[in-house]
């Protein structure tokens, strides 16, 4: 006779393991995103470019 209870529990436990693993990956990605955001916010401001769009015009004198 087929042991449906054993089959069900095997599938249920594997599903739970997969859900837990995915949640762990999800949390790792959220933590990395937060860390990157904090690095961006705390980074010093880059030097502002001149209003000429960054091009320096040299005179020929």
């Amino acid at each position: 006779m087929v042991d449906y209870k054993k089959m069900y529990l095997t599938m249920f436990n594997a599903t739970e393991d997969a859900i837990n693993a995915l949640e762990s990956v999800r949390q790792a990605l959220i933590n990395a995103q937060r860390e990157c955001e904090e690095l961006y916010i705390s980074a010093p401001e880059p030097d502002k470019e001149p209003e000429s769009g960054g091009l320096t015009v040299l005179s020929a004198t």
Side-chain angles (χ1 to χ4, degrees):
M1 177 170 221
V2 178
D3 189 351
Y4 289 104
K5 182 177 180 180
K6 183 176 181 178
M7 288 181 355
Y8 172 82
L9 291 174
T10 299
M11 185 59 71
F12 181 83
N13 288 331
T15 302
E16 285 293 310
D17 291 345
I19 289 170
N20 291 335
L22 288 171
E23 181 58 30
S24 177
V25 170
R26 178 182 168 274
Q27 194 59 52
L29 290 170
I30 289 171
N31 291 342
Q33 180 183 10
R34 287 180 179 159
E35 184 178 347
C36 289
E37 289 171 349
E38 186 57 39
L39 289 168
Y40 178 81
I41 290 169
S42 64
E45 296 248 350
D47 293 335
K48 292 189 178 186
E49 293 183 14
E51 290 190 28
S52 64
L55 298 176
T56 305
V57 178
L58 300 175
S59 62
T61 50

